[in-house]
Amino acid sequence: DTGVSQNPRHKITKRGQNVTFRCDPISEHNRLYWYRQTLGQGPEFLTYFQNEAQLEKSRLLSDRFSAERPKGSFSTLEIQRTEQGDSAMYLCASSRDLDRRPETQYFGPGTRLLVL
Amino acid sequence: GENVEQHPSTLSVQEGDSAVIKCTYSDSASNYFPWYKQELGKRPQLIIDIRSNVGEKKDQRIAVTLNKTAKHFSLHITETQPEDSAVYFCAASIRGTYKYIFGTGTRLKVLA
């Protein structure tokens, strides 16, 4: 499967614990995005990378959230001291930069987080 | 601020009828408009997209129209089939960052 992959697919944790999610984008894609989706809503932008550089972070991304893409390939999203309000589907998407114009973002299957 | 409104939130049609979903965006810097289909528990899948220099695009039973002046775009599905039942999201890509601002989704039910 050469699509975007995410691990784990499901995560149940207790409030106050830290969690980390991984995203592996399509191999030639240099842009990687993280979105959060709650039930009945559209995905909300969290942050994005061009290669290894994190270029924008949403106001939704509190200081408990941190994302990295150390070698410009896979990315991790860590949530520290989780809260019940963090329960959501975390989606990763990737795209290829062509001539500095927007290109199609391909989504991974998501990681569903439940904070008890 | 950046915002995309989508209507209706739910839509039921008889098999074979057409379905139309409408979106309005706020940021005039938006220049790319994809539509995604999301089935329950699955990832969003691109079904069609349109760039700001084009007014209409068609792919078999699916078409998208864009009115830049009014800042709205619409998805048209003709000859609907039960497998078209899903949640559909419109999105607008903001020039510069290329992030997507999504609408709130339309749950389409095609009744056999």
Side-chain angles (χ1 to χ4, degrees):
Chain A
D1 186 355
T2 57
V4 179
S5 61
Q6 291 186 246
N7 287 288
R9 295 291 308 278
H10 304 273
K11 180 71 178 177
I12 300 174
T13 191
K14 292 183 179 178
R15 189 177 54 186
Q17 297 294 305
N18 299 344
V19 294
T20 300
F21 310 142
R22 176 177 169 129
C23 170
D24 287 88
I26 294 171
S27 59
E28 67 268 24
H29 285 187
N30 60 342
R31 291 195 197 136
L32 187 148
Y33 303 79
W34 285 99
Y35 293 87
R36 181 170 66 189
Q37 186 177 27
T38 53
L39 203 60
Q41 298 297 315
E44 294 175 296
F45 171 79
L46 293 179
T47 188
Y48 104 98
F49 293 83
Q50 180 146 327
N51 300 311
E52 66 276 8
Q54 187 175 18
L55 297 186
E56 184 171 339
K57 293 170 61 173
S58 164
R59 287 188 297 273
L60 293 174
L61 217 62
S62 76
D63 55 8
R64 296 184 297 106
F65 288 70
S66 62
E68 293 183 340
R69 194 182 183 199
K71 296 181 180 178
S73 56
F74 73 91
S75 175
T76 58
L77 178 67
E78 181 183 17
I79 309 174
Q80 295 183 326
R81 305 181 302 281
T82 52
E83 301 173 356
Q84 288 181 325
D86 297 332
S87 296
M89 174 76 86
Y90 290 84
L91 290 164
C92 174
S94 71
S95 69
R96 188 165 59 137
D97 182 358
L98 289 176
D99 300 325
R100 297 180 184 175
R101 66 176 193 169
E103 295 298 330
T104 301
Q105 293 179 24
Y106 295 89
F107 282 83
T111 294
R112 184 170 295 283
L113 173 66
L114 178 60
V115 182
L116 302 176
Chain B
E2 303 154 344
N3 184 48
V4 175
E5 293 187 359
Q6 183 171 348
H7 299 281
S9 57
T10 60
L11 179 60
S12 292
V13 298
Q14 289 294 131
E15 183 178 359
D17 287 351
S18 296
V20 180
I21 303 170
K22 298 181 179 181
C23 289
T24 303
Y25 60 98
S26 61
D27 193 332
S28 57
S30 301
N31 57 357
Y32 175 69
F33 307 91
W35 284 89
Y36 286 85
K37 175 183 179 182
Q38 188 174 31
E39 297 178 52
L40 191 62
K42 296 193 175 179
R43 73 186 75 192
Q45 298 263 22
L46 179 80
I47 55 170
I48 196 166
D49 57 8
I50 191 167
R51 297 188 184 276
S52 57
N53 58 347
V54 174
E56 184 173 358
K57 183 176 178 180
K58 189 173 181 181
D59 182 4
Q60 299 183 346
R61 297 186 297 111
I62 296 173
V64 57
T65 58
L66 172 65
N67 182 328
K68 284 198 314 182
T69 303
K71 291 194 279 188
H72 67 70
F73 56 114
S74 300
L75 177 71
H76 304 254
I77 306 175
T78 58
E79 301 171 21
T80 53
Q81 301 166 3
E83 51 266 39
D84 294 330
S85 297
V87 179
Y88 290 81
F89 292 99
C90 63
S93 177
I94 307 298
R95 186 170 17 222
T97 67
Y98 311 112
K99 69 184 181 186
Y100 289 177
I101 305 298
F102 281 87
T104 49
T106 297
R107 181 173 299 279
L108 174 65
K109 294 182 184 177
V110 180
L111 307 171

